[in-house]
Every structure is written in C-alpha cells, then in structure tokens.
Amino acid sequence: MPKNSKLKIGVLTGGGDAPGLNAVIRAVVKCALNRGWEVMGIKDGFEGLLDPSSIKQITPGDVSGILNMGGTILGTTNRGNPFQHKAGSDKKESAKDLSDLVVENFKKLGLDALVAIGGDGSLTIAKKLYDKGIPIIGVPKTIDNDLKETVITFGFDTAVSTATDAIDKLHSTAQSHKRVMVVEVMGRYCGWIALNSGIAGGADIILIPEIPFDWDKVCQKVEKRYKSGKNFCIVVAAEGAKPASGERLVKEHKTATHVEVLGGIGEFVAAEIQKRTGREARAMVLGHLQRGGNPTTFDRLTSTRFGAAAVRLIAEKKFGQMVSLSPPNVVSVPLEKAVAGLKTVPPDSDSILSARELGISFGD
Ligand code: F6P
C-alpha cells in the first residue's frame, strides 16, 4: 500500500441515521491509519464544522467493536445545513449562510480532505462545499435507497429486512382476526423499501409513490383475496404513496431549514378499505425501527467497502466524487451527478413486473 505523505482527514455523518454508518467510519479510520494518516471525527454532521473545539482525533480504540453497531458514534442531524443555518428553535430567526465559516474552520484545522457520509441532502451540501474548495468525498447512505448513480445505498438492506420481518409477523395476527393489515414503511418519495419488503414478505397489495393508486382497484383486490378463501390481506404502503385522486400525506411541511416529514398513509388506507369493503382493517407504522439495529451482513460489507474506497480516492486525490456500488465493483461518480434528482422505482422494472405476475396489486 502506498504510504503517501501523512494526511489529516475529517469524517462526518449527516442526515437521518442508517445501519452501517459505524462500519463506514471504522473502515475510513482503519484504512487511513494504515496509510499513516490522522483522522478527525466531526460531530453532528456539518454542524460540527461550525464548532472546531468539538472536533477530536479518532483513535483505533474509538472504532473498535463498532462494525456491527447501529447508529453513528459521530452523531448526526438532518437539520444541519451550513448554507441555511439556523441556531436554536426560534421560528422567527432567519437562516444564515455560514458556509464561509465552514471553509475557514476546515483550513484552520489543517484538514487535507473530508469524507461526508450522507444521503441526498448531505451530499448536496458536500457538493456545494466542494465547489467552495473543500476536497470532499461522498459516501451514499440512506435506508430510502433513493440516491442516483449507485445501485444501492448502505442501510437499505437492513431496513428492508426489518420491514420484511414485521410483515412476516403480521401474517399470523391478520389471519387469526381475518383482518386487513396495512403496514406503513419509510422511503420518503420513493417506493424501494415498500416494493422490496412487500415482495419478500408476501404482501397482497403494495402502494408506492411511483404508481398512484385507485381506491376501487385496491378494494377489488381485497375482495378478490377474501373470496379466494384467504380470509386476510396484507397491504404495504410507502409513506409517500398517494391515491391518483389526491396528494401525498405530509405531517410537517418543508421550511427553509427543515425537510418535509411524511406520514399517515397507513391509517388513511386502512380506514378507507374498512369503509369501502366493510372488512376490519388495522394500520401499523413501522417508523424509525427501520433505521435502527445492527446492519445486515450485506450492509456491513457494502459500508466497509465504501469506507475503504473513500480513503483510496483521497490517496488518488480524486475529489468531488461519491463512492458507488456498480456490481461487482465499488467505483466513483461525480457528486454532481449523484445529487441531480432522485432514483425512483421504474414502474416497468423487473421487480414490478415479477410482483404483478405473482398477483400482487399496485392498486392501478
Ligand atoms: O431519509 C430517511 C428517512 O428515514 C425517511 O425514510 C423518512 O421519511 C425520514 O427519514 C424521517 O425523518 P425524521 O427522522 O426526521 O423523522
């Protein structure tokens, strides 16, 4: 391994947490230390770069035993955008652009490069900081799997496993009570978690944002299922799913500094099915369980490969890039391309086609 000049690099985790964050941090630290470099841990995403006193060196002991741990030892926030910074919770205070301070602090700390582990929000910030001169590498994280230019983001596989496990468990209670059970899963504006867990968990109906549904079609499928002698029905609804005749349900609206929070579709679908079919229906919101727990083997492996690849890119001085899974390899792509829009589920994809052939309804 080339031991190029001793570098000092920073690492941070931004946005909603996802299983595998610690595995990436560990890989970055181990690979960098093996090259003779120094790694600084930046707390709470980009927020940490506004407070240099909070930035500490990461030692081998700090990353020992964290490979299979959920969460992030560095902390994170999905409200830490230095380009639109708002201190505290005072609603009246207007957002300030503190990105120059971030650049100044980065230089003061003597950092040579920054590894930013995050989803579309954090990587968009990373791209803007790269444009302002910070040598940055992005690592694609999100349970939503909605980042472009990578086949998969780490965290997604664990979230799908958790959701599938929940759907498996709902089968017996649905059957015992002859109920329609509606499971609301995360995913924001994309249906990847709903689609994959729905197929793996044997759902009868899957509702995703990419295919707006028709209430009549949903209810016809419920009735068909009961008439076929199966006295229960499992529906998986992505939080961003919406009826063709309506809007997606928003719990908290987007502001200059806060992202939109979705939710409520599960209850809505259960209530509507019960009203229209007379079948008893219940809803369950899986929520943040999908972000918790130990990463699966796949996520640990992907996270570790991503972390190692990020350090390799720094050694090669290939900045402004995001590591990306392009099986069988981990490659790199420009951050600019990775954050240009979301990776939605193609309605004509093989998974959708296979699900339809299995008799799963998308309510269309
Ligand atoms: O992006 C990850 C995610 O878990 C989404 O699936 C979900 O919509 C959102 O974050 C929830 O965010 P918060 O933790 O702010 O409630």
Side-chain angles (χ1 to χ4, degrees):
M1 188 193 314
K3 288 221 172 191
N4 47 2
S5 57
K6 182 173 165 135
L7 300 184
K8 185 177 178 186
I9 67 170
V11 57
L12 64 79
T13 54
D17 67 345
L21 281 169
N22 281 326
V24 182
I25 298 168
R26 173 182 173 270
V28 167
V29 172
K30 280 178 89 93
C31 295
L33 295 187
N34 283 339
R35 288 177 186 268
W37 302 354
E38 193 182 339
V39 185
M40 304 301 287
I42 296 158
K43 290 271 159 76
D44 300 335
F46 293 98
E47 285 282 295
L49 281 167
L50 296 171
D51 175 16
S53 67
S54 67
I55 300 174
K56 303 270 180 303
Q57 191 176 349
I58 311 185
T59 65
D62 293 330
V63 294
S64 172
I66 66 167
L67 174 60
N68 64 348
M69 272 171 48
T72 160
I73 59 165
L74 293 174
T76 188
T77 171
N78 52 10
R79 307 204 155 156
N81 182 352
F83 290 88
Q84 285 180 310
H85 188 264
K86 209 169 167 189
S89 55
D90 184 356
K91 291 208 166 66
K92 288 190 204 116
E93 193 206 335
S94 56
K96 293 192 187 93
D97 182 355
L98 298 184
S99 57
D100 286 341
L101 183 59
V102 166
V103 177
E104 198 184 306
N105 287 339
F106 180 85
K107 287 184 185 152
K108 265 196 209 151
L109 285 157
L111 293 173
D112 296 295
L114 179 64
V115 177
I117 313 168
D120 66 315
S122 304
L123 295 184
T124 300
I125 297 169
K127 149 82 178 64
K128 287 166 82 177
L129 289 174
Y130 172 67
D131 292 343
K132 287 183 84 106
I134 294 193
I136 212 158
I137 303 292
V139 178
K141 162 245 62 165
T142 167
I143 65 162
D144 304 337
N145 194 33
D146 59 358
L147 268 169
K148 276 194 167 174
E149 304 296 324
T150 182
V151 163
I152 215 158
T153 55
F154 76 84
F156 173 64
D157 187 62
T158 309
V160 170
S161 297
T162 300
T164 304
D165 192 37
I167 298 165
D168 285 349
K169 286 183 174 146
L170 284 177
H171 271 79
S172 55
T173 175
Q175 190 164 23
S176 307
H177 288 268
K178 302 172 189 61
R179 280 174 175 158
V180 178
M181 295 298 298
V182 184
V183 191
E184 178 180 316
V185 297
M186 284 184 165
R188 224 183 264 282
Y189 309 115
C190 300
W192 296 105
I193 299 178
L195 176 64
N196 285 25
S197 63
I199 295 174
D204 305 297
I205 301 171
I206 300 174
L207 305 176
I208 61 173
E210 293 85 348
I211 306 179
F213 61 89
D214 178 328
W215 289 115
D216 289 339
K217 296 278 170 46
V218 170
C219 293
Q220 276 162 22
K221 174 68 188 178
V222 172
E223 281 307 326
K224 195 172 166 198
R225 171 103 182 137
Y226 278 79
K227 289 204 177 103
S228 74
K230 300 273 190 184
N231 279 334
F232 70 100
C233 184
I234 304 283
V235 183
V236 178
E239 61 182 355
K242 55 176 187 221
S245 54
E247 293 301 313
R248 71 168 59 94
L249 298 185
V250 176
K251 276 207 305 205
E252 277 177 42
H253 288 278
K254 186 177 173 354
T255 65
T257 52
H258 290 180
V259 293
E260 189 172 64
V261 180
L262 303 178
I265 189 72
E267 277 293 348
F268 185 30
V269 169
E272 205 62 27
I273 289 177
Q274 183 162 312
K275 192 171 88 190
R276 289 174 183 242
T277 65
R279 308 276 178 198
E280 196 177 22
R282 293 282 189 276
M284 190 204 61
V285 182
L286 212 44
H288 291 80
L289 256 190
Q290 294 158 100
R291 299 224 305 246
N294 298 351
T296 57
T297 305
F298 179 85
D299 274 337
R300 275 184 226 178
L301 183 58
T302 308
S303 301
T304 301
R305 293 176 68 197
F306 279 174
V311 171
R312 239 171 6 247
L313 286 175
I314 294 174
E316 290 163 10
K317 302 200 180 331
K318 267 179 92 179
F319 298 114
Q321 300 281 307
M322 179 187 84
V323 299
S324 143
L325 186 65
S326 172
N329 297 316
V330 170
V331 299
S332 75
V333 293
L335 270 172
E336 189 176 0
K337 280 176 86 179
V339 298
L342 291 178
K343 180 181 71 186
T344 53
V345 175
D348 57 354
S349 65
D350 163 78
S351 291
I352 300 269
L353 185 67
S354 299
R356 289 192 194 280
E357 287 171 358
L358 283 159
I360 296 172
S361 165
F362 288 90
D364 61 337

